[in-house]
Amino acid sequence: MRFLTRMIAALILAAGTAAPAAAEQACTIRVESLQGTDWRIKGFDLLDRAPAQAQFIVNFKHVSGPACEFVPQIAVPDRTPGLKGPGNDRAPYTLTAGDNSSGIKVTGASSALVPTAQGAVIALQPGGSRSVTYTLFVPVEGIKSDGSYEQDIEINALPVGSTMGAFGVLLARLGVDVTPSARLGLAGSYRLNGSQAVIDLGELQTGPVGAPLQLRVNSTSRYDLTIESRNGGKLMIPGTDWAVAYALSVGGMAVPLAGGSQTVEPPSSKGLARTALPMQFTITGDPTRQRAGTYEDVLTISVTPRV
């Protein structure tokens, strides 16, 4: 009987020392961006050749629970690399946190994407907060045309040394809006007089003029050329009625100059393009019936991107 009593006491003692483990407590972190959830670079002109770059500030605020430590994590749910643009084009980018020591980096449209990247550990007491600056960088070499390029990301507050889920999360969309743009230049036989290009057609003779010239157009998509002759397609001695008619073609397309401003639609191009359009002047009138002198006209040429 004495042996049995001791056994029961031992069992009771053992049961008393096996207390259940305390439940792991989690804090709650509110993750907010001062710029909202649309992290977009607006009105970007691809032809400026400067990279698209912007910064966004994220605030991590301790709102409930005990003090905690976490790391800010950048995650990309869509594992396809790059910002998705028109025609499923993908533009590479980098998104980095703080001192640029950590972040997502997509080095090419076909490269392997690092799906997550973590920053430095942040420790917050109840009611405390910490801000982190994120920098979005999109190199111009990876953008193929105008339009909108986007990709969704997550900013997670991941607990340190725990298998629990995130203390808080921010869902944001990266983006860059590339505006339609076109630039115009001239190459060949001409000289500058202030802001005007002066083209010397030489001694006037009926037929094609041998002055080699090209209009050079840089554009992000399709565009229109507008050409206007001050004299309606005539070379004239200023202040007189003496005139010699001429014709103009641009890129092989005849430009009617007699009817005022004319819009020319060059061959269609998709995306970023650099086009050289030969300019051909042809004297159609008879210079031998005109007075000797210097004949001139002023052409106004402009380029407009299609929206």
Side-chain angles (χ1 to χ4, degrees):
M1 190 66 181
R2 186 177 300 172
F3 174 76
L4 179 60
T5 301
R6 289 177 180 173
M7 287 296 295
I8 293 174
L11 288 173
I12 293 174
L13 178 61
T17 59
E24 189 175 12
Q25 292 184 322
C27 69
T28 300
I29 303 296
R30 185 170 61 234
V31 187
E32 295 178 321
S33 171
L34 301 183
Q35 291 82 17
T37 59
D38 190 21
W39 292 9
R40 186 175 303 275
I41 302 171
K42 298 180 179 180
F44 178 66
D45 190 340
L46 182 58
L47 299 183
D48 282 343
R49 304 308 298 168
Q53 185 170 332
Q55 290 187 323
F56 306 92
I57 299 175
V58 173
N59 185 60
F60 298 87
K61 172 71 174 179
H62 189 298
V63 294
S64 67
C68 56
E69 292 185 343
F70 61 91
V71 290
Q73 178 207 54
I74 306 171
V76 181
D78 175 10
R79 297 179 65 90
T80 305
L83 303 173
K84 183 180 179 181
N88 289 323
D89 286 343
R90 292 279 178 168
Y93 68 93
T94 59
L95 179 66
T96 50
D99 60 359
N100 294 336
S101 62
S102 62
I104 295 292
K105 183 175 183 180
V106 182
T107 57
S110 61
S111 67
L113 174 66
V114 179
T116 62
Q118 296 181 176
V121 174
I122 295 178
L124 290 181
Q125 296 294 323
S129 65
R130 180 78 61 83
S131 293
V132 176
T133 299
Y134 290 83
T135 301
L136 173 62
F137 179 90
V138 186
V140 296
E141 294 80 9
I143 303 176
K144 304 303 181 184
S145 68
D146 53 41
S148 294
Y149 294 76
E150 301 175 340
Q151 185 163 61
D152 292 334
I153 64 161
E154 298 176 357
I155 304 294
N156 298 305
L158 290 185
V160 175
S162 173
T163 58
M164 291 190 299
F167 292 151
V169 61
L170 169 70
L171 303 179
R173 174 165 291 177
L174 305 180
V176 55
D177 292 338
V178 182
T179 59
S181 182
R183 305 286 174 85
L184 185 64
L186 186 65
S189 180
Y190 74 95
R191 61 181 176 84
L192 287 176
N193 181 15
S195 60
Q196 286 188 329
V198 178
I199 303 167
D200 187 353
L201 301 181
E203 184 176 347
L204 296 182
Q205 297 179 4
T206 301
V209 177
L213 282 169
Q214 287 183 339
L215 277 180
R216 294 189 173 178
V217 183
N218 291 348
S219 64
T220 58
S221 59
R222 300 180 67 182
Y223 60 89
D224 292 321
L225 283 173
T226 301
I227 302 175
E228 183 175 6
S229 164
R230 185 174 65 183
N231 298 332
K234 297 177 181 179
L235 297 167
M236 302 182 69
I237 297 178
T240 74
D241 293 331
W242 293 97
V244 177
Y246 73 97
L248 171 66
S249 68
V250 176
M253 299 171 292
V255 181
L257 299 175
S261 178
Q262 300 293 325
T263 298
V264 178
E265 181 182 348
S268 61
S269 61
K270 294 183 179 180
L272 186 63
R274 294 169 175 82
T275 309
L277 303 171
M279 297 181 67
Q280 178 63 61
F281 293 91
T282 302
I283 305 301
T284 58
D286 186 358
T288 63
R289 295 180 177 271
Q290 306 301 319
R291 195 184 84 181
T294 300
Y295 290 73
E296 62 184 49
D297 189 16
V298 175
L299 291 177
T300 302
I301 305 176
S302 60
V303 61
T304 305
R306 294 189 178 186
V307 179

